[in-house]
């Protein structure tokens, strides 16, 4: 019952195909291999198009998700992180989630943008530096990339000060909640894939 669509965005946005079965992998592979990068980065146009298609093929109680692949340097249409995250939050509330994969030289900019977009889209994000990253995100780790099994998860971790002198948090710094946010059941927290 799965359906796959492919949208590109540069100066404008274009639908390459929509609503096809994943079993038609030869067609999908030819379409992907025919793509080339050029022009600006109209993230808003691409997202509008992708969300519209996702709504057309929406599966009730299904995994309705957009995977955005970009350098994160949106320079046509809505380009502010705040406006984009507001838009993505609206779509998330309609049951369409967003995961992000970053590419390109503008790593520091892309990292922050892609993380913020994915966080507001109840998705996850990653950055591709090499083929190993591709395998990790899109092959071996695909289930954790695409399938959310728990939404708005919060964890409170404490250490016995008689045993643990110091600790360092790695990889979750942007997800720290203060006490009030932790206690508030309406706080948008993390998702588990």
């Amino acid at each position: 019952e799965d359906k796959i669509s492919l949208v590109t965005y540069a100066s404008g946005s274009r639908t390459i195909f929509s609503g096809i079965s994943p079993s038609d992998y030869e067609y999908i592979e030819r379409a992907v291999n025919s793509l080339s990068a050029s022009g600006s980065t109209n993230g808003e146009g691409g997202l509008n198009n992708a969300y519209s298609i996702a709504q057309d093929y929406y599966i009730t109680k299904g995994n309705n998700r957009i995977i955005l692949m970009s350098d994160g340097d949106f320079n046509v249409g809505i380009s502010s992180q705040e406006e984009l995250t507001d838009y993505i939050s609206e779509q998330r509330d309609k049951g369409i989630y967003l995961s992000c994969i970053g590419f390109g030289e503008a790593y520091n900019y892309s990292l922050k943008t892609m993380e913020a977009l994915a966080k507001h889209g109840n998705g996850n994000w990653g950055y591709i530096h090499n083929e190993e990253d591709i395998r990790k995100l899109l092959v071996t780790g695909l289930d954790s990339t695409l399938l959310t099994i728990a939404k708005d998860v919060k964890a409170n971790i404490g250490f016995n000060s008689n045993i643990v002198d110091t600790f360092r948090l790695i990889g979750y710094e942007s997800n720290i909640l203060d006490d009030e946010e932790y206690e508030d059941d309406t706080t948008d927290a993390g998702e588990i894939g």
Side-chain angles (χ1 to χ4, degrees), residues 156-186:
N156 189 352
I157 300 170
F159 297 102
N160 182 335
S161 60
N162 294 325
I163 299 171
V164 177
D165 291 329
T166 61
F167 69 93
R168 193 174 95 179
L169 183 65
I170 300 175
Y172 295 92
E173 295 87 347
S174 64
N175 294 321
I176 295 174
L177 302 174
D178 62 31
D179 290 342
E180 189 175 305
E181 290 172 317
Y182 185 83
E183 294 298 327
D184 182 357
D185 288 338
T186 64

mmCIF file of all heavy atoms in Angstrom, residues 156-186:
data_model
loop_
_atom_site.group_PDB
_atom_site.id
_atom_site.type_symbol
_atom_site.label_atom_id
_atom_site.label_comp_id
_atom_site.label_asym_id
_atom_site.label_seq_id
_atom_site.Cartn_x
_atom_site.Cartn_y
_atom_site.Cartn_z
ATOM 1 N N ASN A 156 14.010 11.638 32.042
ATOM 2 C CA ASN A 156 14.669 12.335 33.138
ATOM 3 C C ASN A 156 15.723 11.384 33.683
ATOM 4 O O ASN A 156 15.392 10.333 34.223
ATOM 5 C CB ASN A 156 13.649 12.699 34.207
ATOM 6 C CG ASN A 156 14.210 13.609 35.260
ATOM 7 O OD1 ASN A 156 15.407 13.867 35.294
ATOM 8 N ND2 ASN A 156 13.353 14.093 36.133
ATOM 9 N N ILE A 157 16.972 11.740 33.511
ATOM 10 C CA ILE A 157 18.057 10.856 33.899
ATOM 11 C C ILE A 157 18.807 11.479 35.071
ATOM 12 O O ILE A 157 19.200 12.648 35.026
ATOM 13 C CB ILE A 157 19.021 10.627 32.718
ATOM 14 C CG1 ILE A 157 18.251 9.997 31.559
ATOM 15 C CG2 ILE A 157 20.206 9.772 33.120
ATOM 16 C CD1 ILE A 157 19.006 9.929 30.267
ATOM 17 N N GLY A 158 18.980 10.701 36.131
ATOM 18 C CA GLY A 158 19.715 11.166 37.306
ATOM 19 C C GLY A 158 20.881 10.245 37.593
ATOM 20 O O GLY A 158 20.852 9.068 37.246
ATOM 21 N N PHE A 159 21.903 10.792 38.209
ATOM 22 C CA PHE A 159 23.087 10.010 38.541
ATOM 23 C C PHE A 159 23.293 10.023 40.051
ATOM 24 O O PHE A 159 23.045 11.018 40.720
ATOM 25 C CB PHE A 159 24.334 10.592 37.863
ATOM 26 C CG PHE A 159 24.269 10.563 36.372
ATOM 27 C CD1 PHE A 159 23.970 11.708 35.656
ATOM 28 C CD2 PHE A 159 24.507 9.380 35.669
ATOM 29 C CE1 PHE A 159 23.913 11.692 34.279
ATOM 30 C CE2 PHE A 159 24.451 9.354 34.293
ATOM 31 C CZ PHE A 159 24.148 10.507 33.591
ATOM 32 N N ASN A 160 23.764 8.932 40.572
ATOM 33 C CA ASN A 160 24.133 8.831 41.974
ATOM 34 C C ASN A 160 25.437 9.596 42.160
ATOM 35 O O ASN A 160 26.485 9.195 41.659
ATOM 36 C CB ASN A 160 24.306 7.354 42.353
ATOM 37 C CG ASN A 160 24.651 7.175 43.816
ATOM 38 O OD1 ASN A 160 25.200 8.067 44.452
ATOM 39 N ND2 ASN A 160 24.331 5.997 44.339
ATOM 40 N N SER A 161 25.375 10.711 42.890
ATOM 41 C CA SER A 161 26.550 11.573 43.053
ATOM 42 C C SER A 161 27.668 10.908 43.862
ATOM 43 O O SER A 161 28.796 11.392 43.863
ATOM 44 C CB SER A 161 26.152 12.905 43.682
ATOM 45 O OG SER A 161 25.575 12.685 44.952
ATOM 46 N N ASN A 162 27.372 9.816 44.543
ATOM 47 C CA ASN A 162 28.407 9.079 45.256
ATOM 48 C C ASN A 162 29.265 8.259 44.296
ATOM 49 O O ASN A 162 30.379 7.854 44.633
ATOM 50 C CB ASN A 162 27.803 8.140 46.304
ATOM 51 C CG ASN A 162 27.120 8.903 47.416
ATOM 52 O OD1 ASN A 162 27.564 9.986 47.802
ATOM 53 N ND2 ASN A 162 26.028 8.352 47.920
ATOM 54 N N ILE A 163 28.726 8.008 43.094
ATOM 55 C CA ILE A 163 29.433 7.183 42.112
ATOM 56 C C ILE A 163 29.901 8.008 40.910
ATOM 57 O O ILE A 163 30.997 7.833 40.418
ATOM 58 C CB ILE A 163 28.519 6.029 41.635
ATOM 59 C CG1 ILE A 163 28.152 5.137 42.827
ATOM 60 C CG2 ILE A 163 29.194 5.213 40.539
ATOM 61 C CD1 ILE A 163 27.098 4.103 42.518
ATOM 62 N N VAL A 164 29.055 8.937 40.466
ATOM 63 C CA VAL A 164 29.353 9.717 39.267
ATOM 64 C C VAL A 164 29.763 11.132 39.656
ATOM 65 O O VAL A 164 28.991 11.856 40.273
ATOM 66 C CB VAL A 164 28.115 9.763 38.323
ATOM 67 C CG1 VAL A 164 28.402 10.625 37.111
ATOM 68 C CG2 VAL A 164 27.702 8.360 37.920
ATOM 69 N N ASP A 165 31.002 11.508 39.317
ATOM 70 C CA ASP A 165 31.492 12.859 39.616
ATOM 71 C C ASP A 165 31.075 13.847 38.540
ATOM 72 O O ASP A 165 30.648 14.954 38.836
ATOM 73 C CB ASP A 165 33.020 12.868 39.720
ATOM 74 C CG ASP A 165 33.506 12.124 40.946
ATOM 75 O OD1 ASP A 165 32.789 12.110 41.965
ATOM 76 O OD2 ASP A 165 34.607 11.540 40.874
ATOM 77 N N THR A 166 31.250 13.461 37.278
ATOM 78 C CA THR A 166 30.914 14.344 36.158
ATOM 79 C C THR A 166 30.313 13.519 35.026
ATOM 80 O O THR A 166 30.504 12.302 34.954
ATOM 81 C CB THR A 166 32.161 15.079 35.614
ATOM 82 O OG1 THR A 166 33.105 14.119 35.146
ATOM 83 C CG2 THR A 166 32.795 15.959 36.669
ATOM 84 N N PHE A 167 29.594 14.187 34.163
ATOM 85 C CA PHE A 167 29.072 13.531 32.964
ATOM 86 C C PHE A 167 29.022 14.563 31.851
ATOM 87 O O PHE A 167 29.118 15.759 32.092
ATOM 88 C CB PHE A 167 27.678 12.928 33.207
ATOM 89 C CG PHE A 167 26.598 13.957 33.403
ATOM 90 C CD1 PHE A 167 25.844 14.400 32.312
ATOM 91 C CD2 PHE A 167 26.328 14.487 34.655
ATOM 92 C CE1 PHE A 167 24.856 15.352 32.484
ATOM 93 C CE2 PHE A 167 25.333 15.437 34.835
ATOM 94 C CZ PHE A 167 24.592 15.868 33.738
ATOM 95 N N ARG A 168 28.903 14.066 30.641
ATOM 96 C CA ARG A 168 28.827 14.938 29.478
ATOM 97 C C ARG A 168 27.711 14.442 28.568
ATOM 98 O O ARG A 168 27.649 13.260 28.247
ATOM 99 C CB ARG A 168 30.158 14.913 28.739
ATOM 100 C CG ARG A 168 30.287 15.996 27.709
ATOM 101 C CD ARG A 168 31.667 15.996 27.138
ATOM 102 N NE ARG A 168 31.621 15.201 25.920
ATOM 103 C CZ ARG A 168 32.641 14.996 25.126
ATOM 104 N NH1 ARG A 168 33.820 15.470 25.428
ATOM 105 N NH2 ARG A 168 32.508 14.295 24.045
ATOM 106 N N LEU A 169 26.822 15.332 28.194
ATOM 107 C CA LEU A 169 25.713 15.004 27.309
ATOM 108 C C LEU A 169 26.155 15.217 25.870
ATOM 109 O O LEU A 169 26.591 16.308 25.511
ATOM 110 C CB LEU A 169 24.516 15.904 27.642
ATOM 111 C CG LEU A 169 23.228 15.680 26.865
ATOM 112 C CD1 LEU A 169 22.649 14.311 27.174
ATOM 113 C CD2 LEU A 169 22.224 16.759 27.223
ATOM 114 N N ILE A 170 26.046 14.202 25.045
ATOM 115 C CA ILE A 170 26.492 14.312 23.651
ATOM 116 C C ILE A 170 25.323 14.011 22.728
ATOM 117 O O ILE A 170 24.718 12.949 22.791
ATOM 118 C CB ILE A 170 27.652 13.337 23.363
ATOM 119 C CG1 ILE A 170 28.830 13.657 24.271
ATOM 120 C CG2 ILE A 170 28.058 13.401 21.891
ATOM 121 C CD1 ILE A 170 29.970 12.678 24.159
ATOM 122 N N GLY A 171 25.014 14.958 21.868
ATOM 123 C CA GLY A 171 24.032 14.727 20.824
ATOM 124 C C GLY A 171 22.605 15.130 21.148
ATOM 125 O O GLY A 171 21.738 15.058 20.291
ATOM 126 N N TYR A 172 22.335 15.543 22.374
ATOM 127 C CA TYR A 172 20.968 15.898 22.744
ATOM 128 C C TYR A 172 20.874 17.292 23.353
ATOM 129 O O TYR A 172 19.863 17.653 23.939
ATOM 130 C CB TYR A 172 20.395 14.869 23.731
ATOM 131 C CG TYR A 172 20.254 13.503 23.122
ATOM 132 C CD1 TYR A 172 21.270 12.569 23.220
ATOM 133 C CD2 TYR A 172 19.105 13.164 22.409
ATOM 134 C CE1 TYR A 172 21.151 11.325 22.636
ATOM 135 C CE2 TYR A 172 18.988 11.925 21.823
ATOM 136 C CZ TYR A 172 20.009 11.004 21.936
ATOM 137 O OH TYR A 172 19.880 9.776 21.356
ATOM 138 N N GLU A 173 21.931 18.077 23.187
ATOM 139 C CA GLU A 173 21.991 19.392 23.814
ATOM 140 C C GLU A 173 20.802 20.272 23.432
ATOM 141 O O GLU A 173 20.285 21.028 24.251
ATOM 142 C CB GLU A 173 23.296 20.112 23.438
ATOM 143 C CG GLU A 173 24.543 19.434 23.954
ATOM 144 C CD GLU A 173 25.064 18.360 23.009
ATOM 145 O OE1 GLU A 173 24.342 17.964 22.062
ATOM 146 O OE2 GLU A 173 26.194 17.890 23.226
ATOM 147 N N SER A 174 20.347 20.167 22.181
ATOM 148 C CA SER A 174 19.258 21.030 21.721
ATOM 149 C C SER A 174 17.882 20.547 22.190
ATOM 150 O O SER A 174 16.881 21.214 21.962
ATOM 151 C CB SER A 174 19.267 21.122 20.192
ATOM 152 O OG SER A 174 19.018 19.847 19.640
ATOM 153 N N ASN A 175 17.837 19.393 22.854
ATOM 154 C CA ASN A 175 16.559 18.845 23.301
ATOM 155 C C ASN A 175 16.344 18.944 24.808
ATOM 156 O O ASN A 175 15.404 18.380 25.340
ATOM 157 C CB ASN A 175 16.444 17.375 22.877
ATOM 158 C CG ASN A 175 16.385 17.219 21.372
ATOM 159 O OD1 ASN A 175 15.750 18.012 20.700
ATOM 160 N ND2 ASN A 175 17.068 16.224 20.852
ATOM 161 N N ILE A 176 17.213 19.657 25.491
ATOM 162 C CA ILE A 176 17.084 19.778 26.944
ATOM 163 C C ILE A 176 15.848 20.616 27.274
ATOM 164 O O ILE A 176 15.610 21.660 26.678
ATOM 165 C CB ILE A 176 18.351 20.411 27.555
ATOM 166 C CG1 ILE A 176 19.545 19.469 27.347
ATOM 167 C CG2 ILE A 176 18.145 20.718 29.030
ATOM 168 C CD1 ILE A 176 20.869 20.063 27.798
ATOM 169 N N LEU A 177 15.059 20.131 28.207
ATOM 170 C CA LEU A 177 13.855 20.841 28.653
ATOM 171 C C LEU A 177 14.080 21.353 30.063
ATOM 172 O O LEU A 177 14.700 20.674 30.887
ATOM 173 C CB LEU A 177 12.647 19.891 28.661
ATOM 174 C CG LEU A 177 12.280 19.208 27.342
ATOM 175 C CD1 LEU A 177 11.156 18.201 27.574
ATOM 176 C CD2 LEU A 177 11.867 20.228 26.310
ATOM 177 N N ASP A 178 13.549 22.546 30.355
ATOM 178 C CA ASP A 178 13.598 23.001 31.737
ATOM 179 C C ASP A 178 12.497 22.282 32.519
ATOM 180 O O ASP A 178 11.677 21.562 31.954
ATOM 181 C CB ASP A 178 13.492 24.535 31.834
ATOM 182 C CG ASP A 178 12.184 25.094 31.302
ATOM 183 O OD1 ASP A 178 11.128 24.403 31.388
ATOM 184 O OD2 ASP A 178 12.188 26.232 30.805
ATOM 185 N N ASP A 179 12.463 22.458 33.826
ATOM 186 C CA ASP A 179 11.520 21.722 34.679
ATOM 187 C C ASP A 179 10.065 21.971 34.266
ATOM 188 O O ASP A 179 9.255 21.035 34.236
ATOM 189 C CB ASP A 179 11.715 22.103 36.151
ATOM 190 C CG ASP A 179 13.025 21.580 36.714
ATOM 191 O OD1 ASP A 179 13.606 20.655 36.102
ATOM 192 O OD2 ASP A 179 13.464 22.099 37.757
ATOM 193 N N GLU A 180 9.744 23.223 33.953
ATOM 194 C CA GLU A 180 8.370 23.562 33.575
ATOM 195 C C GLU A 180 7.966 22.871 32.273
ATOM 196 O O GLU A 180 6.874 22.317 32.161
ATOM 197 C CB GLU A 180 8.247 25.081 33.429
ATOM 198 C CG GLU A 180 6.816 25.558 33.239
ATOM 199 C CD GLU A 180 6.742 27.077 33.212
ATOM 200 O OE1 GLU A 180 7.225 27.719 34.169
ATOM 201 O OE2 GLU A 180 6.202 27.593 32.215
ATOM 202 N N GLU A 181 8.857 22.879 31.280
ATOM 203 C CA GLU A 181 8.567 22.209 30.011
ATOM 204 C C GLU A 181 8.426 20.702 30.212
ATOM 205 O O GLU A 181 7.565 20.064 29.606
ATOM 206 C CB GLU A 181 9.693 22.470 28.994
ATOM 207 C CG GLU A 181 9.765 23.888 28.492
ATOM 208 C CD GLU A 181 10.997 24.128 27.659
ATOM 209 O OE1 GLU A 181 12.106 23.657 28.048
ATOM 210 O OE2 GLU A 181 10.865 24.784 26.615
ATOM 211 N N TYR A 182 9.282 20.145 31.064
ATOM 212 C CA TYR A 182 9.240 18.701 31.319
ATOM 213 C C TYR A 182 7.902 18.285 31.933
ATOM 214 O O TYR A 182 7.329 17.265 31.561
ATOM 215 C CB TYR A 182 10.396 18.282 32.231
ATOM 216 C CG TYR A 182 10.471 16.798 32.428
ATOM 217 C CD1 TYR A 182 11.097 15.999 31.478
ATOM 218 C CD2 TYR A 182 9.907 16.196 33.533
ATOM 219 C CE1 TYR A 182 11.161 14.624 31.645
ATOM 220 C CE2 TYR A 182 9.968 14.824 33.715
ATOM 221 C CZ TYR A 182 10.592 14.036 32.760
ATOM 222 O OH TYR A 182 10.641 12.674 32.920
ATOM 223 N N GLU A 183 7.395 19.075 32.843
ATOM 224 C CA GLU A 183 6.132 18.756 33.517
ATOM 225 C C GLU A 183 4.908 19.042 32.654
ATOM 226 O O GLU A 183 3.831 18.496 32.891
ATOM 227 C CB GLU A 183 6.022 19.539 34.826
ATOM 228 C CG GLU A 183 7.053 19.146 35.870
ATOM 229 C CD GLU A 183 6.939 17.700 36.310
ATOM 230 O OE1 GLU A 183 5.802 17.167 36.344
ATOM 231 O OE2 GLU A 183 7.979 17.091 36.602
ATOM 232 N N ASP A 184 5.040 19.882 31.629
ATOM 233 C CA ASP A 184 3.925 20.278 30.767
ATOM 234 C C ASP A 184 3.687 19.219 29.689
ATOM 235 O O ASP A 184 4.529 18.993 28.817
ATOM 236 C CB ASP A 184 4.238 21.630 30.120
ATOM 237 C CG ASP A 184 3.107 22.154 29.249
ATOM 238 O OD1 ASP A 184 2.083 21.458 29.086
ATOM 239 O OD2 ASP A 184 3.253 23.273 28.725
ATOM 240 N N ASP A 185 2.526 18.546 29.745
ATOM 241 C CA ASP A 185 2.225 17.489 28.782
ATOM 242 C C ASP A 185 2.004 17.998 27.364
ATOM 243 O O ASP A 185 1.962 17.212 26.426
ATOM 244 C CB ASP A 185 0.992 16.694 29.232
ATOM 245 C CG ASP A 185 1.292 15.812 30.434
ATOM 246 O OD1 ASP A 185 2.483 15.491 30.649
ATOM 247 O OD2 ASP A 185 0.343 15.451 31.148
ATOM 248 N N THR A 186 1.880 19.306 27.179
ATOM 249 C CA THR A 186 1.698 19.843 25.820
ATOM 250 C C THR A 186 3.020 20.213 25.167
ATOM 251 O O THR A 186 3.046 20.590 23.999
ATOM 252 C CB THR A 186 0.786 21.101 25.838
ATOM 253 O OG1 THR A 186 1.430 22.136 26.580
ATOM 254 C CG2 THR A 186 -0.568 20.771 26.446
#
